[in-house]
Amino acid sequence: MAVLNIENVSKTFGETRVLEDINISMAEGEFLILVGPSGCGKSTLLNMIAGLESVSDGRITLDGRSVNDASPRERNIAMVFQFYALYPNMNVRRNIEFGLKMRGVPKAERAQTVERVARMLQIENLLDRKPAQLSGGQRQRVAIGRALARDPALFLFDEPLSNLDAKLRVEMRTELKQLHQRLGTAMVYVTHDQIEAMTLGDRIAVMHAGRVQQLGTPREIYDDPANRYVAGFIGSPAMNFIECGLTGSGGDTAVRLTGSDTETHLALPQATAAKLAEHGKTRVLMGVRPEHLVPAAEADTRRARVTCAIDVVEPTGPDTYLHTELNDAAVTARCLPSAAPNTGAHIPLAIDAERAVFFDCDTEQRIA
Amino acid sequence: MAARTEDGVARGGPIARCIVYGILMLAAAYFLLPLYVMLTTSFKTLPQIANGSLLSLPSPFSVSAWGDAWSSACTGGDCNGLHHYFWNSVAFTAPAVALSTAFGALNGYVLTKWRFKGSELIFGLLLVGTFVPFQMFLLPMARVLGIIGLDNSVAGLTLVHTVYGIAFTTLFCRNYYVAIPDELVKAARIDGASFISTFRHVILPISTPILMVCVIWQFTQIWNDFLFGVVFTSGDAHPITVALNNLVNTSSTGVKRYNVDMAGAIITALPTLLVYIVAGRYFMRGLTAGAVKG
């Protein structure tokens, strides 16, 4: 049975529509990510699940029970906030047990729960401190502990790591994933960080302009984006978008690519070519991830290649990125650090046509 | 040259400092002198006041003027000193301060953390209340007090001061609570706390500075009020401010007893001074909190 069911949910603030027709169903034990830029409505949706915002239209069910009109107290959920939201006047112990106290759990049981949670998060030595005496990472642990204490059916996370420094963020990310594996409780996690989304989620809902653009596993979202927005949002460095003219027809349809001087016809896989031909437009937007645009020397010799002038060489450690132009669009290619060319060099780049995706230039929806 | 000091504040050289401290000391003396004269005069005897210098120290040192002011000086009709009126003032100031502070805190909490349609309008209207002068209230309030049967009573004064004070305490508390992150209230709601228990367990414990501001402000306003006291009460129900006025302006013997007047004035001012000393360190902290925290 679905832990959480969001059916045709919309949200309006006065005249403005911030969420439109959201449909998400979450399985038991699933880790669901809501990812999108600020203002896309992801936090509003989370607050609606929590009961902090009302539902304008549609229905939200938790454990099969409609909770549209239920207060947060009546929903079996716990939430972790971006700015920790620890009660400043209470020490860590009282922060963790506050939710239990409000629900009338007896003192002995509360003490047991605090012990268990503190051990799990390794914060036993902090129990008597006030939030002001804790570091950012410790505060977030306590905030997570407060959520754990209640043993809810669903955890909600509202950008819990975005206030931490980069190193701690990566550590906590791994810990959260371990925690989820250990507890097996369903979690909804809001973030604007696509790397967090990819690494943590069982499934990801990419949100933009109040709508779910795509809902799928990290692999599906990455390899099979539904539209240009999703393709551009997920992946770092971002996917390259190249506007191209088409040549040939039917299964022979190919795209024209111009590098620094030479023009190439990139042959496409049969299925892709057929879909493009069927779509009927002569110009399309091709999306290629940097790792599928590499120096020809590193690639299969049968792949089409196009010579490009390298404008900028960017070493990042494991990979080196090359900035150049294809069909007058700025693109990024990836190469091995050991084989990095010099700035200004003209080198042939090979494109993995199997992995290229195509969008309509106007609607930006996926064609093939 | 002004050098950057450890605390980051640029200070001048020794000469500049001498000038600054000199001016500050002059200013302090200027403001402390009247208090000095009041204190010394209250401990002097009448002949010494008549013949001695204004600034001389009391000799012989006498506390009889204080006793007179407290228990036997004439205030209009009766001659029992200020003590009865002192307790009058305590009787309406204490509940009025407590009530207006409590309502202000509750209002501020609702106006910032439980916003509803029209809450900004209500806050705006309350704000107007802080600009309305006392005098405008007099007639309508007298009529209301008459209708509800609280005219000429300590309870009536409590009501008037509570109502008038709510506009101020709401303004103070609302501006303080606006700086408290909303997430704190959200977290409490998720934790299952109700409207009232969120206020009690989460908001109130971190409100000490602003509550102190409200208490000091309200206590000073209410204790020192003369106008409401003189208009809405008479005779036995007068507050101490009105009684002090009567004490200074009544003379049973035809001789102006400056020592008793001074002692009475100090007795009247003492409670406000005490409140400042006890709660004062929170005052500046409360007024500026939230202003620096973005």
Side-chain angles (χ1 to χ4, degrees):
Chain A
M1 189 182 65
V3 177
L4 171 71
N5 229 331
I6 301 171
E7 297 164 60
N8 309 320
V9 162
S10 301
K11 176 73 183 173
T12 47
F13 286 118
E15 294 289 294
T16 25
R17 226 173 161 72
V18 290
L19 284 175
E20 195 132 15
D21 202 24
I22 308 288
N23 284 287
I24 297 172
S25 177
M26 241 182 111
E28 200 100 24
E30 195 176 3
F31 202 135
L32 175 76
I33 308 282
L34 304 178
V35 66
S38 48
C40 73
K42 57 190 191 298
S43 286
T44 307
L45 183 58
L46 194 75
N47 282 337
M48 284 160 78
I49 299 170
L52 296 169
E53 296 270 9
S54 65
V55 177
S56 303
D57 214 352
R59 201 158 71 111
I60 295 179
T61 52
L62 273 171
D63 271 336
R65 188 169 65 93
S66 170
V67 291
N68 273 26
D69 301 314
S71 70
R73 185 191 168 94
E74 295 159 335
R75 305 179 187 208
N76 196 7
I77 47 140
M79 189 160 170
V80 177
F81 296 88
Q82 180 178 359
F83 298 102
Y84 324 125
L86 298 177
Y87 311 121
N89 56 306
M90 305 180 195
N91 63 22
V92 170
R93 181 189 310 279
R94 290 179 56 213
N95 259 288
I96 292 176
E97 67 173 9
F98 185 72
L100 302 173
K101 204 170 149 189
M102 286 295 115
R103 283 176 165 76
V105 175
K107 198 166 179 189
E109 201 181 323
R110 295 206 304 260
Q112 255 176 18
T113 307
V114 172
E115 288 303 316
R116 174 177 62 83
V117 167
R119 212 173 321 118
M120 193 184 284
L121 294 170
Q122 291 154 21
I123 49 174
E124 292 118 311
N125 53 333
L126 306 177
L127 285 177
D128 295 314
R129 291 204 204 163
K130 289 277 179 72
Q133 298 163 303
L134 303 176
S135 70
Q138 289 170 332
R139 284 180 207 188
Q140 198 51 276
R141 264 169 207 277
V142 175
I144 292 170
R146 188 169 61 180
L148 288 182
R150 292 252 320 285
D151 198 16
L154 180 64
F155 283 105
L156 306 176
F157 291 90
D158 191 3
E159 308 212 16
L161 306 184
S162 54
N163 252 24
L164 305 177
D165 63 57
K167 187 166 174 287
L168 200 54
R169 191 151 62 214
V170 174
E171 286 172 20
M172 286 296 282
R173 200 168 73 199
T174 313
E175 272 191 49
L176 266 179
K177 191 154 186 164
Q178 283 170 344
L179 194 68
H180 174 247
Q181 285 163 359
R182 240 160 93 194
L183 294 171
T185 310
M187 295 181 174
V188 183
Y189 186 105
V190 163
T191 179
H192 61 262
D193 180 347
Q194 48 98 11
I195 295 180
E196 260 173 42
M198 290 292 288
T199 50
L200 284 173
D202 293 326
R203 277 196 309 159
I204 300 173
V206 181
M207 297 184 64
H208 177 54
R211 287 175 175 277
V212 174
Q213 303 291 325
Q214 189 174 0
L215 175 63
T217 63
R219 266 277 54 97
E220 282 165 6
I221 301 270
Y222 192 78
D223 290 340
D224 249 335
N227 56 41
R228 184 190 168 162
Y229 184 81
V230 174
F233 189 80
I234 299 288
S236 173
M239 183 183 266
N240 300 305
F241 295 103
I242 308 154
E243 203 179 319
C244 333
L246 296 176
T247 64
S249 61
D252 296 327
T253 302
V255 292
R256 254 198 309 267
L257 286 175
T258 312
S260 56
D261 35 28
T262 56
E263 189 185 89
T264 309
H265 288 229
L266 175 66
L268 300 173
Q270 279 286 324
T272 311
K275 276 187 205 163
L276 287 180
E278 192 188 334
H279 189 67
K281 290 200 178 167
T282 55
R283 294 195 74 75
V284 292
L285 199 60
M286 180 169 74
V288 182
R289 295 211 179 269
E291 63 264 35
H292 302 134
L293 178 65
V294 298
E298 293 176 23
D300 192 322
T301 48
R302 284 165 300 180
R303 280 193 195 154
R305 52 187 63 192
V306 56
T307 304
C308 297
I310 306 302
D311 300 324
V312 178
V313 177
E314 241 179 30
T316 63
D319 302 304
T320 296
Y321 292 103
L322 311 172
H323 294 263
T324 179
E325 281 189 357
L326 268 177
N327 285 9
D328 294 329
V331 297
T332 309
R334 189 174 85 174
C335 78
L336 295 170
S338 55
N342 294 322
T343 307
H346 283 61
I347 62 160
L349 296 177
I351 295 178
D352 187 349
E354 301 274 342
R355 307 298 297 272
V357 289
F358 295 88
F359 306 96
D360 187 294
C361 289
D362 303 314
T363 65
E364 301 196 335
Q365 292 301 309
R366 179 82 176 271
I367 306 167
Chain B
M1 274 303 293
R4 300 294 285 184
T5 50
E6 228 173 83
D7 56 0
V9 180
R11 295 202 180 82
I15 300 169
R17 276 220 217 176
C18 282
I19 294 172
V20 168
Y21 281 111
I23 291 172
L24 285 176
M25 279 194 286
L26 269 177
Y30 179 80
F31 286 108
L32 284 174
L33 202 60
L35 183 65
Y36 168 82
V37 172
M38 280 177 78
L39 262 176
T40 50
T41 306
S42 73
F43 291 115
K44 288 176 184 173
T45 56
L46 271 181
Q48 200 197 346
I49 292 169
N51 305 324
S53 136
L54 190 65
L55 294 178
S56 67
L57 284 169
S59 131
F61 189 89
S62 155
V63 292
S64 68
W66 285 75
D68 281 359
W70 182 250
S71 57
S72 70
C74 294
T75 56
D78 59 20
C79 290
N80 294 317
L82 291 174
H83 73 276
H84 171 71
Y85 304 101
F86 182 92
W87 296 119
N88 268 358
S89 274
V90 171
F92 70 81
T93 302
V97 168
L99 283 173
S100 57
T101 301
F103 279 121
L106 214 51
N107 282 351
Y109 169 57
V110 171
L111 289 173
T112 53
K113 303 300 174 213
W114 296 76
R115 289 194 185 158
F116 50 92
K117 220 177 157 106
S119 60
E120 286 300 303
L121 178 73
I122 288 184
F123 176 61
L125 290 175
L126 271 167
L127 204 58
V128 173
T130 62
F131 298 120
V132 179
F134 270 17
Q135 287 80 351
M136 267 181 68
F137 276 117
L138 291 180
L139 279 176
M141 189 54 94
R143 181 93 184 98
V144 170
L145 287 179
I147 290 170
I148 60 178
L150 288 179
D151 49 330
N152 195 22
S153 73
V154 164
L157 272 187
T158 307
L159 179 70
V160 173
H161 283 297
T162 302
V163 170
Y164 193 80
I166 282 176
F168 292 90
T169 53
T170 301
L171 171 69
F172 295 155
C173 292
R174 185 255 178 207
N175 288 352
Y176 183 79
Y177 291 152
V178 109
I180 293 178
D182 290 347
E183 281 193 344
L184 218 50
V185 175
K186 286 187 187 174
R189 287 177 65 193
I190 299 265
D191 268 342
S194 63
F195 172 82
I196 286 296
S197 49
T198 302
F199 182 64
R200 220 188 90 204
H201 296 291
V202 178
I203 298 295
L204 215 48
I206 53 178
S207 306
T208 316
I210 201 64
L211 293 183
M212 288 302 161
V213 169
C214 287
V215 165
I216 291 183
W217 177 270
Q218 282 301 95
F219 191 92
T220 313
Q221 291 292 311
I222 297 173
W223 184 273
N224 288 346
D225 164 67
F226 180 81
L227 190 63
F228 284 164
V230 80
V231 172
F232 297 136
T233 61
S234 61
D236 254 8
H238 274 327
I240 192 166
T241 44
V242 178
L244 175 68
N245 174 67
N246 294 343
L247 177 139
V248 172
N249 292 322
T250 339
S251 168
S252 50
T253 57
V255 180
K256 197 112 186 85
R257 298 203 292 164
Y258 288 108
N259 49 0
V260 178
D261 293 353
M262 294 303 174
I266 294 171
I267 288 172
T268 308
L270 220 46
T272 22
L273 271 177
L274 268 178
V275 167
Y276 266 98
I277 290 164
V278 172
R281 64 196 176 98
Y282 292 101
F283 190 66
M284 284 315 292
R285 220 190 289 168
L287 278 186
T288 53
V292 277
K293 226 176 91 193

